[in-house]
Short mmCIF file of all heavy atoms in Angstrom, two decimals:
data_model
loop_
_atom_site.label_atom_id
_atom_site.label_comp_id
_atom_site.label_asym_id
_atom_site.label_seq_id
_atom_site.Cartn_x
_atom_site.Cartn_y
_atom_site.Cartn_z
N MET H 23 29.52 -6.64 -5.75
CA MET H 23 29.37 -5.17 -5.91
C MET H 23 30.73 -4.73 -6.53
O MET H 23 31.77 -5.04 -6.08
CB MET H 23 29.12 -4.50 -4.60
CG MET H 23 28.68 -3.13 -4.71
SD MET H 23 27.84 -2.33 -3.26
CE MET H 23 28.87 -2.71 -1.88
N SER H 24 30.62 -4.04 -7.69
CA SER H 24 31.80 -3.49 -8.34
C SER H 24 32.42 -2.38 -7.61
O SER H 24 31.75 -1.84 -6.63
CB SER H 24 31.48 -3.13 -9.76
OG SER H 24 30.72 -1.94 -9.75
N LYS H 25 33.61 -1.99 -7.89
CA LYS H 25 34.28 -0.92 -7.17
C LYS H 25 33.52 0.41 -7.25
O LYS H 25 33.49 1.18 -6.32
CB LYS H 25 35.69 -0.75 -7.75
CG LYS H 25 36.62 -0.13 -6.75
CD LYS H 25 38.07 -0.33 -7.20
CE LYS H 25 38.89 -0.21 -5.94
NZ LYS H 25 40.26 -0.36 -6.22
N ALA H 26 32.83 0.67 -8.37
CA ALA H 26 32.09 1.97 -8.53
C ALA H 26 30.65 1.89 -7.99
O ALA H 26 30.04 2.88 -7.77
CB ALA H 26 32.03 2.29 -9.99
N ALA H 27 30.21 0.67 -7.71
CA ALA H 27 28.88 0.51 -7.08
C ALA H 27 28.79 1.15 -5.73
O ALA H 27 29.74 1.07 -4.93
CB ALA H 27 28.46 -0.94 -7.13
N LYS H 28 27.58 1.66 -5.43
CA LYS H 28 27.33 2.22 -4.09
C LYS H 28 26.14 1.43 -3.44
O LYS H 28 25.30 0.96 -4.13
CB LYS H 28 26.98 3.68 -4.20
CG LYS H 28 28.13 4.49 -4.81
CD LYS H 28 27.71 5.96 -4.98
CE LYS H 28 28.91 6.72 -5.44
NZ LYS H 28 28.83 7.27 -6.73
N PRO H 29 26.10 1.42 -2.09
CA PRO H 29 24.98 0.77 -1.46
C PRO H 29 23.74 1.55 -1.49
O PRO H 29 23.72 2.76 -1.40
CB PRO H 29 25.48 0.63 -0.02
CG PRO H 29 26.42 1.71 0.20
CD PRO H 29 27.10 1.96 -1.17
N PHE H 30 22.55 0.83 -1.63
CA PHE H 30 21.29 1.46 -1.65
C PHE H 30 20.32 0.74 -0.69
O PHE H 30 20.48 -0.46 -0.57
CB PHE H 30 20.64 1.37 -3.06
CG PHE H 30 21.28 2.37 -4.11
CD1 PHE H 30 22.43 1.98 -4.74
CD2 PHE H 30 20.75 3.55 -4.34
CE1 PHE H 30 23.01 2.81 -5.63
CE2 PHE H 30 21.29 4.42 -5.27
CZ PHE H 30 22.48 4.06 -5.89
N SER H 31 19.45 1.45 -0.12
CA SER H 31 18.38 0.87 0.62
C SER H 31 17.12 0.94 -0.35
O SER H 31 16.76 2.02 -0.82
CB SER H 31 18.03 1.70 1.88
OG SER H 31 16.86 1.23 2.51
N VAL H 32 16.52 -0.21 -0.62
CA VAL H 32 15.38 -0.24 -1.50
C VAL H 32 14.11 -0.65 -0.77
O VAL H 32 14.09 -1.67 -0.12
CB VAL H 32 15.62 -1.25 -2.68
CG1 VAL H 32 14.42 -1.29 -3.59
CG2 VAL H 32 16.87 -0.88 -3.42
N THR H 33 13.11 0.26 -0.77
CA THR H 33 11.82 -0.04 -0.15
C THR H 33 10.95 -0.55 -1.24
O THR H 33 10.71 0.00 -2.29
CB THR H 33 11.19 1.34 0.43
OG1 THR H 33 12.16 1.84 1.30
CG2 THR H 33 9.89 1.03 1.06
N ILE H 34 10.30 -1.72 -0.95
CA ILE H 34 9.33 -2.34 -1.86
C ILE H 34 8.00 -2.26 -1.24
O ILE H 34 7.74 -2.62 -0.11
CB ILE H 34 9.74 -3.85 -2.05
CG1 ILE H 34 11.15 -4.02 -2.51
CG2 ILE H 34 8.74 -4.52 -2.92
CD1 ILE H 34 11.64 -5.43 -2.55
N THR H 35 7.07 -1.58 -1.97
CA THR H 35 5.68 -1.36 -1.47
C THR H 35 4.77 -2.13 -2.42
O THR H 35 4.67 -1.77 -3.60
CB THR H 35 5.37 0.10 -1.44
OG1 THR H 35 6.33 0.83 -0.66
CG2 THR H 35 3.93 0.35 -0.90
N GLU H 36 4.00 -3.12 -1.86
CA GLU H 36 3.00 -3.78 -2.63
C GLU H 36 1.61 -3.20 -2.26
O GLU H 36 1.38 -2.90 -1.15
CB GLU H 36 3.00 -5.33 -2.26
CG GLU H 36 4.23 -5.99 -2.77
CD GLU H 36 4.17 -7.52 -2.52
OE1 GLU H 36 3.45 -7.94 -1.59
OE2 GLU H 36 4.82 -8.21 -3.27
N THR H 37 0.79 -3.08 -3.30
CA THR H 37 -0.56 -2.54 -3.13
C THR H 37 -1.56 -3.63 -3.35
O THR H 37 -1.51 -4.33 -4.35
CB THR H 37 -0.80 -1.37 -4.06
OG1 THR H 37 0.22 -0.37 -3.81
CG2 THR H 37 -2.23 -0.76 -3.84
N LEU H 38 -2.55 -3.77 -2.42
CA LEU H 38 -3.63 -4.75 -2.58
C LEU H 38 -4.91 -3.83 -2.65
O LEU H 38 -5.02 -2.85 -1.96
CB LEU H 38 -3.73 -5.62 -1.39
CG LEU H 38 -2.48 -6.44 -1.00
CD1 LEU H 38 -2.75 -7.27 0.25
CD2 LEU H 38 -2.04 -7.33 -2.19
N LYS H 39 -5.88 -4.26 -3.46
CA LYS H 39 -7.10 -3.54 -3.64
C LYS H 39 -8.30 -4.49 -3.56
O LYS H 39 -8.28 -5.58 -4.17
CB LYS H 39 -7.17 -2.78 -4.95
CG LYS H 39 -6.29 -1.55 -4.99
CD LYS H 39 -6.58 -0.77 -6.27
CE LYS H 39 -5.73 0.48 -6.31
NZ LYS H 39 -6.05 1.28 -7.50
N LEU H 40 -9.38 -4.04 -2.96
CA LEU H 40 -10.63 -4.75 -2.88
C LEU H 40 -11.77 -3.73 -2.84
O LEU H 40 -11.81 -2.83 -2.00
CB LEU H 40 -10.66 -5.67 -1.63
CG LEU H 40 -12.02 -6.34 -1.33
CD1 LEU H 40 -12.35 -7.35 -2.42
CD2 LEU H 40 -12.02 -6.97 0.03
N ALA H 41 -12.73 -3.83 -3.76
CA ALA H 41 -13.87 -2.99 -3.78
C ALA H 41 -15.00 -3.68 -3.04
O ALA H 41 -15.27 -4.82 -3.33
CB ALA H 41 -14.29 -2.66 -5.21
N VAL H 42 -15.58 -2.98 -2.08
CA VAL H 42 -16.71 -3.59 -1.33
C VAL H 42 -17.92 -2.63 -1.42
O VAL H 42 -17.72 -1.43 -1.68
CB VAL H 42 -16.32 -3.78 0.18
CG1 VAL H 42 -15.20 -4.81 0.26
CG2 VAL H 42 -15.96 -2.53 0.84
N GLU H 43 -19.03 -3.12 -1.25
CA GLU H 43 -20.25 -2.34 -1.29
C GLU H 43 -20.83 -2.15 0.09
O GLU H 43 -21.02 -3.16 0.84
CB GLU H 43 -21.32 -2.94 -2.20
CG GLU H 43 -22.54 -2.11 -2.40
CD GLU H 43 -23.47 -2.74 -3.46
OE1 GLU H 43 -22.98 -3.28 -4.46
OE2 GLU H 43 -24.68 -2.72 -3.20
N VAL H 44 -21.07 -0.91 0.56
CA VAL H 44 -21.71 -0.59 1.86
C VAL H 44 -22.79 0.41 1.60
O VAL H 44 -22.72 1.18 0.61
CB VAL H 44 -20.67 -0.07 2.86
CG1 VAL H 44 -19.61 -1.10 3.22
CG2 VAL H 44 -20.05 1.22 2.41
N GLU H 45 -23.78 0.39 2.51
CA GLU H 45 -24.82 1.40 2.42
C GLU H 45 -24.58 2.49 3.44
O GLU H 45 -24.24 2.16 4.59
CB GLU H 45 -26.17 0.74 2.63
CG GLU H 45 -26.54 -0.25 1.54
CD GLU H 45 -28.04 -0.57 1.51
OE1 GLU H 45 -28.83 0.13 2.12
OE2 GLU H 45 -28.35 -1.57 0.81
N ALA H 46 -24.67 3.74 2.99
CA ALA H 46 -24.35 4.87 3.86
C ALA H 46 -25.04 6.13 3.31
O ALA H 46 -25.53 6.15 2.19
CB ALA H 46 -22.88 5.09 3.88
N ASP H 47 -25.10 7.15 4.16
CA ASP H 47 -25.70 8.45 3.79
C ASP H 47 -24.77 9.34 3.04
O ASP H 47 -25.28 10.28 2.34
CB ASP H 47 -26.21 9.18 5.03
CG ASP H 47 -27.36 8.40 5.71
OD1 ASP H 47 -28.12 7.77 4.99
OD2 ASP H 47 -27.49 8.49 6.92
N ASN H 48 -23.46 9.16 3.16
CA ASN H 48 -22.50 9.92 2.47
C ASN H 48 -21.17 9.17 2.31
O ASN H 48 -20.96 8.18 2.93
CB ASN H 48 -22.30 11.32 3.21
CG ASN H 48 -21.89 11.08 4.66
OD1 ASN H 48 -20.82 10.49 4.93
ND2 ASN H 48 -22.70 11.50 5.62
N PRO H 49 -20.24 9.76 1.49
CA PRO H 49 -18.96 9.06 1.28
C PRO H 49 -18.11 8.83 2.52
O PRO H 49 -17.52 7.80 2.72
CB PRO H 49 -18.24 9.97 0.32
CG PRO H 49 -19.31 10.71 -0.40
CD PRO H 49 -20.40 10.88 0.58
N HIS H 50 -18.14 9.82 3.46
CA HIS H 50 -17.38 9.68 4.72
C HIS H 50 -17.90 8.53 5.56
O HIS H 50 -17.14 7.68 6.04
CB HIS H 50 -17.42 10.97 5.52
CG HIS H 50 -16.73 10.87 6.81
ND1 HIS H 50 -15.38 10.82 6.90
CD2 HIS H 50 -17.23 10.76 8.07
CE1 HIS H 50 -15.03 10.66 8.18
NE2 HIS H 50 -16.15 10.65 8.91
N GLU H 51 -19.17 8.38 5.64
CA GLU H 51 -19.82 7.34 6.41
C GLU H 51 -19.54 6.00 5.73
O GLU H 51 -19.24 4.99 6.39
CB GLU H 51 -21.35 7.51 6.55
CG GLU H 51 -22.00 6.41 7.35
CD GLU H 51 -23.53 6.61 7.36
OE1 GLU H 51 -24.10 7.70 6.98
OE2 GLU H 51 -24.20 5.63 7.80
N ALA H 52 -19.55 5.95 4.44
CA ALA H 52 -19.27 4.71 3.69
C ALA H 52 -17.84 4.26 3.97
O ALA H 52 -17.59 3.10 4.25
CB ALA H 52 -19.48 4.95 2.21
N GLU H 53 -16.89 5.21 3.97
CA GLU H 53 -15.49 4.84 4.21
C GLU H 53 -15.33 4.42 5.64
O GLU H 53 -14.64 3.45 5.90
CB GLU H 53 -14.60 6.07 3.96
CG GLU H 53 -14.49 6.36 2.49
CD GLU H 53 -13.68 7.59 2.19
OE1 GLU H 53 -13.25 8.33 3.13
OE2 GLU H 53 -13.53 7.92 1.02
N GLN H 54 -16.00 5.05 6.59
CA GLN H 54 -15.93 4.62 8.00
C GLN H 54 -16.51 3.23 8.17
O GLN H 54 -15.89 2.42 8.91
CB GLN H 54 -16.69 5.62 8.89
CG GLN H 54 -16.50 5.37 10.36
CD GLN H 54 -15.07 5.46 10.82
OE1 GLN H 54 -14.39 6.45 10.59
NE2 GLN H 54 -14.58 4.45 11.47
N LYS H 55 -17.62 2.92 7.54
CA LYS H 55 -18.19 1.59 7.65
C LYS H 55 -17.25 0.53 7.09
O LYS H 55 -17.06 -0.50 7.67
CB LYS H 55 -19.54 1.49 6.98
CG LYS H 55 -20.66 2.17 7.74
CD LYS H 55 -22.01 2.00 7.06
CE LYS H 55 -23.12 2.53 7.89
NZ LYS H 55 -24.46 2.24 7.26
N ALA H 56 -16.66 0.86 5.95
CA ALA H 56 -15.71 -0.08 5.35
C ALA H 56 -14.50 -0.28 6.22
O ALA H 56 -14.03 -1.37 6.39
CB ALA H 56 -15.28 0.42 3.92
N PHE H 57 -14.00 0.84 6.80
CA PHE H 57 -12.84 0.71 7.71
C PHE H 57 -13.23 -0.18 8.90
O PHE H 57 -12.43 -1.02 9.31
CB PHE H 57 -12.38 2.10 8.21
CG PHE H 57 -11.34 2.04 9.21
CD1 PHE H 57 -10.03 1.85 8.94
CD2 PHE H 57 -11.70 2.23 10.58
CE1 PHE H 57 -9.07 1.83 9.89
CE2 PHE H 57 -10.73 2.14 11.52
CZ PHE H 57 -9.41 1.94 11.24
N ASP H 58 -14.38 0.13 9.48
CA ASP H 58 -14.81 -0.67 10.67
C ASP H 58 -14.87 -2.19 10.34
O ASP H 58 -14.44 -3.03 11.04
CB ASP H 58 -16.11 -0.20 11.21
CG ASP H 58 -16.02 1.19 11.82
OD1 ASP H 58 -14.86 1.64 12.20
OD2 ASP H 58 -17.09 1.85 11.98
N ASN H 59 -15.46 -2.46 9.16
CA ASN H 59 -15.56 -3.89 8.77
C ASN H 59 -14.24 -4.52 8.49
O ASN H 59 -14.00 -5.63 8.85
CB ASN H 59 -16.46 -4.00 7.46
CG ASN H 59 -17.89 -3.55 7.71
OD1 ASN H 59 -18.37 -3.64 8.81
ND2 ASN H 59 -18.62 -3.29 6.63
N TRP H 60 -13.33 -3.76 7.86
CA TRP H 60 -11.98 -4.27 7.59
C TRP H 60 -11.24 -4.54 8.95
O TRP H 60 -10.70 -5.57 9.08
CB TRP H 60 -11.18 -3.20 6.76
CG TRP H 60 -9.80 -3.50 6.62
CD1 TRP H 60 -9.18 -4.42 5.86
CD2 TRP H 60 -8.72 -2.89 7.38
NE1 TRP H 60 -7.81 -4.41 6.09
CE2 TRP H 60 -7.52 -3.46 6.99
CE3 TRP H 60 -8.69 -1.82 8.36
CZ2 TRP H 60 -6.26 -3.07 7.57
CZ3 TRP H 60 -7.48 -1.48 8.84
CH2 TRP H 60 -6.31 -2.11 8.46
N ARG H 61 -11.33 -3.57 9.86
CA ARG H 61 -10.74 -3.73 11.16
C ARG H 61 -11.27 -4.92 11.88
O ARG H 61 -10.50 -5.66 12.64
CB ARG H 61 -10.91 -2.45 11.98
CG ARG H 61 -10.15 -2.44 13.27
CD ARG H 61 -10.49 -1.33 14.19
NE ARG H 61 -11.95 -1.32 14.41
CZ ARG H 61 -12.72 -0.26 14.50
NH1 ARG H 61 -12.23 0.88 14.30
NH2 ARG H 61 -14.03 -0.42 14.72
N ASP H 62 -12.53 -5.22 11.73
CA ASP H 62 -13.12 -6.35 12.37
C ASP H 62 -12.89 -7.65 11.67
O ASP H 62 -13.41 -8.73 12.00
CB ASP H 62 -14.67 -6.09 12.49
CG ASP H 62 -15.03 -5.01 13.47
OD1 ASP H 62 -14.19 -4.65 14.29
OD2 ASP H 62 -16.16 -4.45 13.42
N GLY H 63 -12.11 -7.61 10.55
CA GLY H 63 -11.74 -8.84 9.89
C GLY H 63 -12.74 -9.32 8.82
O GLY H 63 -12.69 -10.46 8.41
N GLN H 64 -13.72 -8.49 8.49
CA GLN H 64 -14.71 -8.89 7.50
C GLN H 64 -14.12 -8.96 6.05
O GLN H 64 -14.67 -9.65 5.21
CB GLN H 64 -15.95 -8.02 7.57
CG GLN H 64 -16.74 -8.18 8.88
CD GLN H 64 -17.98 -7.33 8.86
OE1 GLN H 64 -18.63 -7.18 7.81
NE2 GLN H 64 -18.34 -6.89 10.07
N TYR H 65 -13.09 -8.18 5.83
CA TYR H 65 -12.40 -8.15 4.50
C TYR H 65 -11.00 -8.59 4.72
O TYR H 65 -10.23 -7.98 5.48
CB TYR H 65 -12.41 -6.74 3.91
CG TYR H 65 -13.78 -6.04 3.96
CD1 TYR H 65 -13.84 -4.77 4.45
CD2 TYR H 65 -14.92 -6.68 3.50
CE1 TYR H 65 -15.02 -4.05 4.43
CE2 TYR H 65 -16.12 -6.00 3.51
CZ TYR H 65 -16.15 -4.68 3.97
OH TYR H 65 -17.34 -4.02 4.00
N ILE H 66 -10.55 -9.65 4.05
CA ILE H 66 -9.18 -10.18 4.09
C ILE H 66 -8.61 -10.05 2.72
O ILE H 66 -9.09 -10.65 1.80
CB ILE H 66 -9.16 -11.62 4.55
CG1 ILE H 66 -9.88 -11.78 5.90
CG2 ILE H 66 -7.71 -12.11 4.61
CD1 ILE H 66 -9.29 -11.06 7.08
N LEU H 67 -7.59 -9.14 2.61
CA LEU H 67 -6.92 -8.99 1.30
C LEU H 67 -5.72 -9.91 1.27
O LEU H 67 -4.93 -10.01 2.27
CB LEU H 67 -6.53 -7.56 1.12
CG LEU H 67 -7.65 -6.58 0.74
CD1 LEU H 67 -8.50 -6.27 1.93
CD2 LEU H 67 -7.04 -5.31 0.15
N ASP H 68 -5.55 -10.57 0.14
CA ASP H 68 -4.39 -11.44 -0.03
C ASP H 68 -3.83 -11.31 -1.46
O ASP H 68 -4.14 -10.34 -2.15
CB ASP H 68 -4.82 -12.90 0.26
CG ASP H 68 -5.91 -13.40 -0.65
OD1 ASP H 68 -6.14 -12.83 -1.71
OD2 ASP H 68 -6.54 -14.42 -0.26
N ALA H 69 -3.01 -12.23 -1.88
CA ALA H 69 -2.32 -12.18 -3.19
C ALA H 69 -3.32 -12.03 -4.30
O ALA H 69 -2.99 -11.43 -5.34
CB ALA H 69 -1.43 -13.34 -3.36
N ASP H 70 -4.57 -12.50 -4.19
CA ASP H 70 -5.51 -12.37 -5.22
C ASP H 70 -5.96 -10.90 -5.47
O ASP H 70 -6.56 -10.63 -6.47
CB ASP H 70 -6.79 -13.20 -4.88
CG ASP H 70 -6.53 -14.69 -4.95
OD1 ASP H 70 -5.55 -15.07 -5.69
OD2 ASP H 70 -7.23 -15.43 -4.31
N HIS H 71 -5.65 -10.03 -4.50
CA HIS H 71 -6.03 -8.63 -4.58
C HIS H 71 -4.83 -7.77 -4.97
O HIS H 71 -4.91 -6.53 -4.83
CB HIS H 71 -6.61 -8.19 -3.29
CG HIS H 71 -7.79 -9.00 -2.83
ND1 HIS H 71 -7.70 -10.02 -1.94
CD2 HIS H 71 -9.11 -8.99 -3.24
CE1 HIS H 71 -8.92 -10.58 -1.79
NE2 HIS H 71 -9.76 -9.96 -2.56
N PHE H 72 -3.79 -8.33 -5.45
CA PHE H 72 -2.59 -7.61 -5.84
C PHE H 72 -2.94 -6.58 -6.92
O PHE H 72 -3.54 -6.90 -7.95
CB PHE H 72 -1.51 -8.57 -6.29
CG PHE H 72 -0.20 -7.86 -6.73
CD1 PHE H 72 0.67 -7.44 -5.78
CD2 PHE H 72 0.05 -7.68 -8.06
CE1 PHE H 72 1.81 -6.79 -6.20
CE2 PHE H 72 1.20 -7.06 -8.45
CZ PHE H 72 2.11 -6.59 -7.49
N ALA H 73 -2.47 -5.33 -6.71
CA ALA H 73 -2.79 -4.30 -7.70
C ALA H 73 -1.54 -3.59 -8.20
O ALA H 73 -1.63 -2.78 -9.13
CB ALA H 73 -3.75 -3.28 -7.04
N GLY H 74 -0.38 -3.83 -7.60
CA GLY H 74 0.81 -3.20 -8.10
C GLY H 74 1.90 -3.24 -7.13
O GLY H 74 1.75 -3.62 -5.96
N VAL H 75 3.10 -2.86 -7.63
CA VAL H 75 4.30 -2.80 -6.75
C VAL H 75 5.14 -1.54 -7.10
O VAL H 75 5.09 -1.14 -8.30
CB VAL H 75 5.15 -4.08 -6.86
CG1 VAL H 75 5.68 -4.30 -8.23
CG2 VAL H 75 6.25 -4.14 -5.78
N GLU H 76 5.78 -0.96 -6.16
CA GLU H 76 6.66 0.18 -6.40
C GLU H 76 8.00 -0.09 -5.66
O GLU H 76 8.04 -0.57 -4.54
CB GLU H 76 6.00 1.40 -5.82
CG GLU H 76 6.75 2.69 -6.03
CD GLU H 76 6.01 3.86 -5.46
OE1 GLU H 76 4.96 4.25 -6.04
OE2 GLU H 76 6.49 4.50 -4.45
N PHE H 77 9.09 0.27 -6.35
CA PHE H 77 10.40 0.20 -5.78
C PHE H 77 10.97 1.61 -5.61
O PHE H 77 10.95 2.36 -6.53
CB PHE H 77 11.31 -0.65 -6.67
CG PHE H 77 10.89 -2.07 -6.81
CD1 PHE H 77 9.88 -2.41 -7.75
CD2 PHE H 77 11.39 -3.02 -6.08
CE1 PHE H 77 9.45 -3.73 -7.90
CE2 PHE H 77 11.00 -4.41 -6.16
CZ PHE H 77 10.02 -4.72 -7.09
N GLU H 78 11.53 1.89 -4.47
CA GLU H 78 12.18 3.22 -4.29
C GLU H 78 13.56 3.04 -3.69
O GLU H 78 13.69 2.49 -2.53
CB GLU H 78 11.28 4.06 -3.27
CG GLU H 78 11.85 5.46 -3.12
CD GLU H 78 10.97 6.33 -2.20
OE1 GLU H 78 9.82 5.91 -1.93
OE2 GLU H 78 11.41 7.40 -1.91
N ALA H 79 14.55 3.40 -4.41
CA ALA H 79 15.92 3.21 -4.04
C ALA H 79 16.50 4.51 -3.46
O ALA H 79 16.38 5.65 -4.10
CB ALA H 79 16.81 2.80 -5.23
N THR H 80 17.12 4.45 -2.31
CA THR H 80 17.71 5.63 -1.69
C THR H 80 19.21 5.27 -1.38
O THR H 80 19.46 4.24 -0.70
CB THR H 80 17.03 5.97 -0.34
OG1 THR H 80 15.64 6.18 -0.64
CG2 THR H 80 17.61 7.21 0.32
N PRO H 81 20.10 6.02 -1.92
CA PRO H 81 21.55 5.74 -1.58
C PRO H 81 21.72 5.85 -0.07
O PRO H 81 21.17 6.71 0.62
CB PRO H 81 22.29 6.93 -2.27
CG PRO H 81 21.38 7.46 -3.33
CD PRO H 81 19.95 7.27 -2.76
N ILE H 82 22.46 4.92 0.42
CA ILE H 82 22.79 4.92 1.84
C ILE H 82 23.79 6.02 2.09
O ILE H 82 24.78 5.97 1.44
CB ILE H 82 23.28 3.52 2.30
CG1 ILE H 82 22.14 2.49 2.18
CG2 ILE H 82 23.76 3.61 3.75
CD1 ILE H 82 22.50 1.09 2.45
N GLY H 83 23.43 6.93 2.98
CA GLY H 83 24.34 8.05 3.25
C GLY H 83 24.06 9.27 2.26
O GLY H 83 24.80 10.18 2.28
N GLY H 84 23.02 9.16 1.48
CA GLY H 84 22.72 10.23 0.52
C GLY H 84 21.29 10.58 0.62
O GLY H 84 20.45 9.97 1.20
N ASN H 85 20.88 11.67 -0.18
CA ASN H 85 19.52 12.13 -0.19
C ASN H 85 18.80 11.89 -1.52
O ASN H 85 17.70 12.37 -1.75
CB ASN H 85 19.41 13.60 0.22
CG ASN H 85 19.84 13.86 1.61
OD1 ASN H 85 19.59 13.02 2.50
ND2 ASN H 85 20.45 14.98 1.84
N GLU H 86 19.48 11.18 -2.49
CA GLU H 86 18.87 11.03 -3.81
C GLU H 86 17.80 9.90 -3.79
O GLU H 86 18.03 8.88 -3.16
CB GLU H 86 19.98 10.65 -4.77
CG GLU H 86 21.00 11.69 -4.93
CD GLU H 86 22.15 11.25 -5.81
OE1 GLU H 86 21.98 10.36 -6.63
OE2 GLU H 86 23.26 11.73 -5.58
N ASN H 87 16.65 10.10 -4.38
CA ASN H 87 15.64 9.02 -4.50
C ASN H 87 15.44 8.75 -5.97
O ASN H 87 15.50 9.63 -6.83
CB ASN H 87 14.26 9.54 -3.88
CG ASN H 87 14.34 9.61 -2.45
OD1 ASN H 87 15.07 8.91 -1.80
ND2 ASN H 87 13.46 10.41 -1.86
N ARG H 88 15.15 7.47 -6.27
CA ARG H 88 14.93 7.09 -7.69
C ARG H 88 13.75 6.07 -7.61
O ARG H 88 13.92 5.02 -6.97
CB ARG H 88 16.12 6.48 -8.26
CG ARG H 88 15.85 6.05 -9.74
CD ARG H 88 17.21 5.67 -10.33
NE ARG H 88 16.87 4.78 -11.49
CZ ARG H 88 17.00 3.48 -11.50
NH1 ARG H 88 17.45 2.86 -10.45
NH2 ARG H 88 16.67 2.83 -12.57
N LYS H 89 12.66 6.33 -8.30
CA LYS H 89 11.53 5.34 -8.36
C LYS H 89 11.59 4.73 -9.70
O LYS H 89 11.86 5.37 -10.71
CB LYS H 89 10.20 6.05 -8.19
CG LYS H 89 10.01 6.50 -6.76
CD LYS H 89 8.63 7.05 -6.50
CE LYS H 89 8.41 7.48 -5.11
NZ LYS H 89 7.06 8.00 -4.89
N ILE H 90 11.26 3.44 -9.76
CA ILE H 90 11.12 2.73 -10.99
C ILE H 90 9.76 2.11 -11.15
O ILE H 90 9.06 1.91 -10.13
CB ILE H 90 12.21 1.65 -11.24
CG1 ILE H 90 12.19 0.64 -10.14
CG2 ILE H 90 13.59 2.27 -11.33
CD1 ILE H 90 13.09 -0.56 -10.30
#
């Protein structure tokens, strides 16, 4: 680290996505069924479902945020 450099905490968020088909009477019920199935382990998301990554740097001891 150079003399002018400051410490940052960097949060790395990876996003995984999987589209599944469920039968339901409305969108809320469809989401609930998908959630229940996911919670029960019927859907396993892994590196094959990678959809993106986000980095957010916050100066340690400061309030500035910077997303790249």
Side-chain angles (χ1 to χ4, degrees):
M23 195 161 51
S24 71
K25 205 166 203 178
K28 298 179 175 114
F30 288 84
S31 172
V32 179
T33 301
I34 303 169
T35 304
E36 291 185 334
T37 303
L38 306 177
K39 285 187 178 183
L40 173 66
V42 297
E43 187 173 317
V44 296
E45 295 198 15
D47 293 330
N48 57 61
H50 177 72
E51 181 184 347
E53 290 175 358
Q54 185 63 51
K55 285 183 174 186
F57 173 81
D58 292 343
N59 292 341
W60 169 78
R61 185 188 58 218
D62 292 341
Q64 293 184 34
Y65 312 131
I66 305 297
L67 283 75
D68 59 21
D70 291 336
H71 302 100
F72 180 78
V75 64
E76 181 178 293
F77 296 84
E78 183 176 351
T80 304
I82 295 175
N85 293 327
E86 300 172 26
N87 288 335
R88 182 174 158 256
K89 290 186 179 180
I90 58 173

